[in-house]
Amino acid sequence: PTRPNRAAHGDYAPPEFKTATGVRHAVQGRRLNGPEGIVVHFDAFRIRRAGNGSENSDRRSVEMLRSAQDNGYHYAEISRTGRILIPEGFDWNDWGYHAGRSVCPRTSRTGVSRYYVGFEMNNPGVLYPTQDPDVFCPWFNAKRDRQQNVILDASRKCTRISEHDEWYSGREARFAQGENIDPHWYLPYSFDQFEALTNVAVYLARRFPASFRMDQVFGHDEVAPHRKSDPGGALANPDLVMTMSQFRTYLRERV
């Protein structure tokens, strides 16, 4: 059975945030009225140990925060253990780039990084089927062209680069489509990861009641359609894949 969400049962506790020591993100300015919402991403990065071993998501999440530092981005990261990781000096009223070219579907404002906090979820992103029906590969373990696009054959299947790099079985992968979801195979967020994202949205709504709105919790694919596919079908609890509009309804019921 699906474990209950604590916030839904009246025993909400503020989430814990862990600072990634030695990592600082580039700040572009201040949100004078507080954060107004969230943009949900996946980091399209590795989640496992070398050799396709057990999950090592906390470490991978810190690596992504460090990569963001190197590339001038600014966001928080949620690992598959449910750990919420933030860079040193993180302030909810500071903003930095995370959503790129973007337009808010609710307010029509551009450059939504100014208004909404970015949360990257450690997740491999879109998965591609192979000729083996029980093997699905993320982009980084699939053969790619010079522009780094995954090469697909006539049956829309990829070629795995290495059996020792990350790949996922049929029981792990899930096909999803509809609304914001680009039709693909995905690895759903873990339950702890999904619950952490839910609880941090509740936390921000309670901490910034004058500015934060659950109706302004968007997927990257909603603010940058046709350019981005995250979170797509990765957004799940993980028993149920959710569209972003379903997730917003789910969040409103918990405030």
Side-chain angles (χ1 to χ4, degrees):
T2 302
R3 288 174 286 177
N5 184 290
R6 290 192 300 271
H9 286 74
D11 58 346
Y12 164 79
E16 295 183 6
F17 302 96
K18 179 174 177 56
T19 300
T21 304
V23 177
R24 281 190 171 269
H25 285 180
V27 172
Q28 303 298 327
R30 294 280 290 175
R31 300 183 178 100
L32 299 180
N33 299 314
E36 299 179 32
I38 287 172
V39 175
V40 181
H41 305 257
F42 53 54
D43 58 17
F45 190 51
R46 291 174 168 81
I47 68 171
R48 292 177 172 163
R49 297 178 187 277
N52 206 36
S54 59
E55 288 190 7
N56 196 17
S57 186
D58 285 357
R59 176 183 171 185
R60 298 303 193 184
S61 295
V62 171
E63 289 174 0
M64 281 305 299
L65 287 177
R66 188 167 291 111
S67 174
Q69 172 183 265
D70 295 342
N71 290 283
Y73 297 124
H74 183 280
Y75 54 73
E77 177 99 11
I78 301 180
S79 83
R80 290 179 62 79
T81 67
R83 179 163 286 182
I84 306 168
L85 294 147
I86 56 176
E88 287 186 349
F90 190 85
D91 186 322
W92 298 110
N93 286 308
D94 288 338
W95 74 268
Y97 297 122
H98 62 84
R101 299 188 314 276
S102 52
V103 179
C104 176
R106 185 169 181 266
T107 68
S108 298
R109 295 177 302 189
T110 59
V112 303
S113 297
R114 291 178 172 84
Y115 313 106
Y116 309 140
V117 181
F119 278 91
E120 291 275 1
M121 313 291 281
N122 184 220
N123 182 274
V126 170
L127 300 178
Y128 299 90
T130 67
Q131 290 297 333
D132 184 331
D134 199 42
V135 173
F136 292 79
C137 290
W139 68 272
F140 49 81
N141 194 20
K143 287 190 175 180
R144 305 182 297 278
D145 61 22
R146 291 182 178 180
Q147 287 73 44
Q148 297 302 304
N149 298 309
V150 173
I151 299 171
L152 301 177
D153 63 20
S155 58
R156 307 294 295 171
K157 293 180 172 61
C158 75
T159 300
R160 179 172 57 176
I161 295 174
S162 171
E163 64 181 278
H164 302 296
D165 201 349
E166 285 189 30
W167 57 271
Y168 303 88
S169 68
R171 65 180 175 78
E172 295 175 291
R174 192 171 302 182
F175 186 83
Q177 62 183 341
E179 285 191 24
N180 61 291
I181 301 175
D182 195 10
H184 279 296
W185 292 87
Y186 298 86
L187 177 73
Y189 296 155
S190 72
F191 179 87
D192 292 328
Q193 195 173 30
F194 177 85
E195 186 175 58
L197 177 64
T198 298
N199 286 348
V200 80
V202 172
Y203 166 79
L204 290 173
R206 294 185 181 200
R207 179 168 174 180
F208 298 98
S211 62
F212 192 93
R213 297 288 179 270
M214 293 302 194
D215 283 341
Q216 294 177 175
V217 175
F218 297 110
H220 199 186
D221 49 11
E222 292 183 300
V223 301
H226 312 299
R227 187 173 69 84
K228 293 294 182 178
S229 61
D230 52 323
L235 178 63
N237 73 355
D239 297 308
L240 175 66
V241 171
M242 292 186 182
T243 65
M244 284 304 303
S245 61
Q246 289 170 331
F247 186 51
R248 286 187 285 272
T249 298
Y250 179 84
L251 291 175
R252 285 194 297 269
E253 293 170 352
R254 278 147 182 81
V255 177

